[in-house]
Amino acid sequence: MTLTPSRPDQHSFENPQQADELTSEQEGRSVSRRGFLERFSIASMTAAIGAEIVFADKMPAGLIPAALAQGAEPIQVPGKEGMTFLNDRPVLAEAPAHLLDDAVTPGEHLFIRNNGVAPVPEALNPEKWTLEIAGESCEKPTTFTLKELKEKFEHHTLQMVLECAGNGRSEFNPPAHGTQWTTGAVGCPKWTGVRLRDVLKHCGIKPDAVYIGYYGADLHLSGDPKKTSISRGVPIKKALEDESMIVFAMNGEDIPWQNGHPLRLMFGGWPASTCGKWLKKIVIRDREHDGEKMTGDAYRMPRYPVAPGSKVPDEDMVIIESMPVKSLVTFPKSGLSHPLADVLTVRGHAWAGENEVTEVHVSLDFGATWQKTELAKPVNRFAWQHWATQVRFPKKGYYEVWARATDDQGRSQPMILPGWNPKGYLNNTCHRIAIQAV
């Protein structure tokens, strides 16, 4: 039997706020775990799930069981079968966690996050594609054909994590404005291209260089060709790293159309918004790049912790750089029914922006106790790391498997609540899946 989302009349909840309101009977969020179980009976939760919630006494107050939080069947996107379609203008799609089980993310399972309208495939002819290098801090502005880029500069292949800064935004409460990603706006393919540093140095970098910015061929949602959908960038120090690349292939093939074919940027460990797609121009700047979505509160976090729902002045927001420590359970698929007598293999990936993951633990009792997993080293800097372990369930009933990673700076994922921010960025709370032992 497979666990499925319950109907509204079976006490399913649309979001954590609704769960809190129901379980605390409008009396605020200071309800104890005992109070939660008294006010919204464990019998009702059990009826909705269809199994005993083992370790229910350890379940945090207001938590929506993973089995009830599962979404509907995904809508199909051509070339991205099995992905969950979130929007059509711009196109947005993510992969359910179980489709990210591969060590190297295949193209059909790499998320789509567009800010504008993707160029039509007919306009993406590699034979005619050019890349301009310019800007006030560029000594020799140059335009390369794609063929020239491939011939002039050494090729490199690296596996690197690509993740949207808003991945996990759906779990913020109060809700944050923007695409309500769950966990699937991430992937780790192999990228082949040339070092950005080699290209920039060939064109000459003036001593006053501070930043680089990019421009792509995507069209603004308004259709106005004078407007730019997105133009972000990185400090010159990041641009000159060994792993910062202009890439033209993914997993040994052309980059998928919606993921930036024929040319895009890749900056390991930083948000995907820095990795411009359908790349047409790079500018070397003598100041912090001020392109579209570089100013205001776009891709920025408060420089200090804030209370949920706070309004943060623009001057107190800082640009997101390295992504936080994070992990994902990719096997088994959430909702599995598993024989009680058998051990269950659990596995997934972990990553930590510009840092390395040192440990991953799993919990079967809502975080009361933790079990260490076997963790592999990354194949190269900025690649995710694979972890695996085996678990046994003490008796029949409903369980959740939680995963929690720790990086080389000693920072671990928060168990339930992400650090709130106005735009809902950088949610790195523990991923959890539902299992029924039978």
Side-chain angles (χ1 to χ4, degrees):
M1 182 180 71
T2 300
L3 297 172
T4 56
S6 59
R7 301 189 310 271
D9 62 355
Q10 293 176 304
H11 307 296
S12 65
F13 304 125
E14 294 181 357
N15 55 54
Q17 184 176 8
Q18 183 182 359
D20 273 345
E21 289 173 352
L22 289 175
T23 58
S24 65
E25 296 182 349
Q26 308 295 332
E27 291 182 10
R29 294 193 170 86
S30 60
V31 181
S32 67
R33 182 177 295 135
R34 180 181 300 275
F36 166 78
L37 296 175
E38 288 174 350
R39 297 176 187 280
F40 193 78
S41 72
I42 195 64
S44 297
M45 301 290 284
T46 299
I49 292 172
E52 177 190 356
I53 302 176
V54 184
F55 302 120
D57 62 318
K58 298 177 175 62
M59 186 164 61
L63 184 72
I64 305 170
L68 302 184
Q70 292 172 190
E73 289 298 312
I75 298 171
Q76 298 301 307
V77 181
K80 298 281 186 176
E81 283 69 27
M83 302 277 280
T84 302
F85 181 77
L86 300 176
N87 198 38
D88 63 348
R89 190 176 175 87
V91 175
L92 304 169
E94 66 175 335
H98 68 278
L99 291 186
L100 295 173
D101 192 45
D102 297 275
V104 177
T105 307
E108 60 265 32
H109 296 156
L110 183 62
F111 73 98
I112 301 171
R113 198 302 184 222
N114 294 342
N115 284 270
V117 179
V120 295
E122 294 76 19
L124 302 175
N125 184 352
E127 299 298 320
K128 298 180 179 179
W129 199 262
T130 59
L131 173 64
E132 178 185 2
I133 310 296
E136 59 270 279
S137 293
C138 178
E139 292 179 342
K140 298 179 296 180
T142 308
T143 297
F144 301 94
T145 64
L146 183 53
K147 184 172 183 284
E148 287 173 333
L149 274 177
K150 291 180 177 181
E151 291 176 347
K152 284 182 178 293
F153 303 103
E154 183 180 356
H155 295 189
H156 302 270
T157 298
L158 292 172
Q159 187 181 0
M160 291 189 283
V161 172
L162 183 72
E163 182 179 17
C164 178
N167 195 25
R169 183 179 285 124
S170 62
E171 295 183 357
F172 280 90
N173 186 42
H177 177 72
T179 304
Q180 297 301 297
W181 302 104
T182 60
T183 59
V186 65
C188 193
K190 289 182 179 179
W191 306 96
T192 299
V194 300
R195 284 187 175 130
L196 175 60
R197 178 181 66 206
D198 294 346
V199 178
L200 298 182
K201 287 188 174 182
H202 179 86
C203 297
I205 305 169
K206 292 182 181 179
D208 64 354
V210 171
Y211 235 82
I212 67 99
Y214 69 76
Y215 294 89
D218 45 334
L219 182 67
H220 192 272
L221 290 176
S222 68
D224 186 345
K226 296 180 181 179
K227 292 184 177 181
T228 303
S229 59
I230 185 170
S231 174
R232 303 199 68 237
V234 300
I236 194 70
K237 181 180 179 181
K238 182 67 177 177
L240 299 180
E241 285 186 344
D242 286 351
E243 299 84 3
S244 295
M245 298 171 66
I246 302 172
V247 297
F248 45 75
M250 192 180 93
N251 298 337
E253 301 177 344
D254 286 345
I255 301 169
W257 163 49
Q258 290 281 5
N259 295 120
H261 173 74
L263 207 61
R264 74 172 296 163
L265 284 168
M266 270 301 302
F267 293 109
W270 284 38
S273 59
T274 63
C275 306
K277 299 190 289 184
W278 311 292
L279 185 64
K280 292 296 293 179
K281 183 177 182 179
I282 296 173
V283 287
I284 308 175
R285 306 298 311 274
D286 63 1
R287 70 205 69 180
E288 187 176 280
H289 186 53
D290 54 1
E292 183 66 24
K293 299 191 184 298
M294 277 295 295
T295 58
D297 59 2
Y299 298 102
R300 292 177 182 245
M301 290 279 288
R303 64 175 68 251
Y304 47 79
V306 300
S310 299
K311 181 170 178 56
V312 184
D314 284 353
E315 61 268 22
D316 288 344
M317 302 288 281
V318 293
I319 296 172
I320 296 169
E321 295 187 347
S322 180
M323 298 289 281
V325 61
K326 202 163 183 178
S327 61
L328 195 63
V329 182
T330 59
F331 182 86
K333 180 181 179 180
S334 187
L336 175 75
S337 289
H338 181 75
L340 178 65
D342 297 342
V343 296
L344 174 66
T345 296
V346 182
R347 63 175 178 259
H349 313 299
W351 60 99
E354 293 193 321
N355 298 101
E356 188 172 320
V357 177
T358 56
E359 292 182 338
V360 176
H361 292 79
V362 297
S363 176
L364 301 180
D365 53 11
F366 300 101
T369 61
W370 295 89
Q371 171 181 325
K372 191 173 182 179
T373 71
E374 293 185 7
L375 177 66
K377 299 288 288 185
V379 296
N380 54 250
R381 190 182 182 208
F382 299 132
W384 60 19
Q385 298 170 236
H386 315 302
W387 60 266
T389 193
Q390 291 186 324
V391 298
R392 282 189 179 276
F393 302 101
K395 65 176 183 176
K396 292 181 179 180
Y398 172 83
Y399 295 84
E400 291 187 6
V401 179
W402 292 13
R404 188 181 194 184
T406 302
D407 70 12
D408 53 12
Q409 302 300 306
R411 295 170 297 203
S412 296
Q413 296 176 256
M415 287 202 300
I416 301 171
L417 296 176
W420 192 90
N421 61 92
K423 299 299 289 285
Y425 293 129
L426 308 189
N427 177 7
N428 68 330
T429 52
C430 295
H431 183 220
R432 55 198 179 101
I433 64 167
I435 302 291
Q436 185 171 332
V438 294

